[in-house]
Amino acid sequence: MTPAQIEEARAIAAQPGRAAVLRAIRDVSAQSGVPVGAIMGHDRRPRIVAARHLAMRVAHDAGVSFAEIGRVMGRDHTSVIHAVRKGQP
């Protein structure tokens, strides 16, 4: 690892909520085949939106607040609330 990558890893580790969100995004990306960049992006194709919403749900289930998920994913907390509630039965 380069010194810059080590420093970035330390910065992420210092923010447990952020790390949990990024971990959720990577896990959903691996399971769904949707690239991390697409999950973080603004594409509205149904497959990508479903993966994005699932990542938000996984992060919230891990105990991360709606506001923190929104900050990491570049969305308003109300969008995260909608995504999480939409996935509930």
Side-chain angles (χ1 to χ4, degrees), residues 20-30 36 39-40 55 72-73:
V21 175
L22 295 175
R23 194 169 34 256
I25 292 168
R26 284 193 306 271
D27 291 349
V28 169
S29 175
V36 169
I39 292 173
M40 294 290 290
V72 173
M73 296 187 77

